[in-house]
Every structure is written in structure tokens, then in C-alpha cells.
Amino acid sequence: MNIPCKLCEKRRARRHCPGVEGEICSQCCGSQREITIECPASCEYLKEARFHEQPPAVTEDQVPNPDIRLSEKFLRDTEPLVFTLAVALKRAMEVGGAVDFDAREALDAEIRTYRTLQTGLIYDTRAPNPYAAAIQQKLREAVEQFSKEQAEQRGMVTVRDADVLGVLVFLQRLKCATTMGAARTGVRDFLTGYLPEAPAPAVLV
């Protein structure tokens, strides 16, 4: 039985698409993947395409906030905070249906806020995009909760604004490195694949 593609209604359907909950042709799958189709991370065709795709190289002048240097020692010392904010970013994107553009806007706004704190000023930058604003709020809640746990365990607040800024820039650069072509959820899918579900250690050294 020949089933027409649910999208173009012309070509013969060749595969099941969980994004449209129907059968589609391979041409529509390839051309509309992550553009008009909301592809779940579990889709086998999406995984296969990601495997074969090569992300565009990020040149030195494309690295965001290049004046902020992130050493291996810094990332080791702040590993619990990195884990906490990475999980918060992933969950915020999953719950709110946000895409990579929203994550970028949220990180940009939060980094600008923490940059002003380094100058002694208090200027709250809020993302105008509601999806980005929701992510930004979740990141702030994660920092607040992490700081509270640090204070309870060590008897003092040990989370510096400079550390939070550095971790946010790390996530921003991770976003640049994991966005593949026209992919809309490259960051979320990367974090989903590489973040363990077990809670991270909750104390900074």
C-alpha cells in the first residue's frame, strides 16, 4: 500500500516521523528536519544526521567574551557550579520548549548582568524574548539554590559573582561549539546526552 507523505502529499512515505506523528518521505525529512518539524532528540533519523554532520568551525574572533579566560583549573574548581547551571539550562529548555536561539539570548543577558556586577554597578539585564527570559530565571534560581546549599554546608557564602560569570561564559561557548548547521536544539540534546542524572557534588573547593 502506497501511503503519501503527510507533508508534501505527493511523494511516497518512506519513514515514520515522530515530529509530525505520521509517515513522511525522505526528501521532506531531510529538508524540513528541525526547520518546520519539531524533531525529538530520540528520533533515529535526527541522530543519524547529527552523526554525519560536521559543525562549522568556530574561529578565534567568533569566541564570545574573549577577554574572559577559562582555564582547566577554573573549570575543575567550579565543576559543581558548572554541573548545576548546565542541568538548569537543559531542564529549562525541555520544560519551556525553547530552542538554541533562546538559550543564546538568555545566556547573553545574564552575562551582561554579571559583567556589570564586576564594575560595582547593579544593572539587571532581562531578555525580551519570553522563552529566553524563562531560561534566565531558571539559571538565577539555580545559582540562588546552589549558594544557599554552599552556605549551609560551609557556614559561609563561597560562590563568587566572578565564578558564576565564568561558568555562564563557558556554557555560552559550549553553545557555539555544539550548534550544528540549522539545528534548533543542539545544546539541549548535547546536554541530555552527556549529563548524568545523579546529583553533582555540592561544594566548591
Side-chain angles (χ1 to χ4, degrees):
M1 180 179 178
N2 292 335
I3 302 175
C5 171
K6 186 175 181 179
L7 295 180
C8 68
E9 299 181 343
K10 296 177 181 178
R11 291 180 289 268
R12 179 183 177 184
R14 297 285 185 178
R15 57 188 61 171
H16 178 73
C17 175
V20 301
E21 298 182 345
E23 309 302 311
I24 64 174
C25 65
S26 56
Q27 291 94 324
C28 284
C29 177
S31 63
Q32 300 304 314
R33 183 185 302 127
E34 294 197 288
I35 298 176
T36 61
I37 301 175
E38 292 284 348
C39 304
S42 59
C43 176
E44 60 179 300
Y45 300 106
L46 176 63
K47 291 180 180 178
E48 183 180 358
R50 290 270 177 84
F51 178 78
H52 292 290
E53 285 177 346
Q54 292 295 326
V58 179
T59 61
E60 187 174 342
D61 61 339
Q62 291 176 314
V63 175
N65 295 288
D67 60 305
I68 297 179
R69 298 189 176 276
L70 304 178
S71 65
E72 291 186 10
K73 182 179 184 303
F74 171 80
L75 294 176
R76 286 197 303 270
D77 291 346
T78 59
E79 183 179 2
L81 182 59
V82 171
F83 181 92
T84 297
L85 293 187
V87 169
L89 176 61
K90 177 180 79 77
R91 290 177 178 170
M93 293 185 72
E94 289 174 340
V95 173
V99 297
D100 285 354
F101 175 83
D102 305 312
R104 182 184 68 186
E105 194 170 322
L107 290 169
D108 285 348
E110 199 64 356
I111 287 170
R112 287 197 299 273
T113 295
Y114 273 91
R115 271 190 172 280
T116 59
L117 290 175
Q118 300 303 297
T119 66
L121 301 175
I122 299 178
Y123 183 79
D124 187 6
T125 303
R126 290 282 183 170
N129 172 359
Y131 292 98
I135 294 175
Q136 192 178 0
Q137 180 61 34
K138 291 300 181 182
L139 290 172
R140 292 187 176 190
E141 291 173 1
V143 171
E144 182 179 351
Q145 180 62 30
F146 185 82
S147 299
K148 179 180 178 181
E149 292 173 358
Q150 289 275 294
E152 291 175 350
Q153 293 184 30
R154 307 191 67 171
M156 59 180 179
V157 177
T158 58
V159 183
R160 303 181 305 160
D161 290 340
D163 290 338
V164 178
L165 174 61
V167 172
L168 290 171
V169 171
F170 171 73
L171 293 176
Q172 184 186 49
R173 293 177 185 174
L174 178 66
K175 185 256 180 253
C176 290
T178 56
T179 298
M180 301 181 180
R184 301 170 73 245
T185 56
V187 171
R188 186 196 68 194
D189 296 343
F190 175 83
L191 294 175
T192 299
Y194 286 90
L195 283 176
E197 290 299 321
V203 179
L204 289 177
V205 296

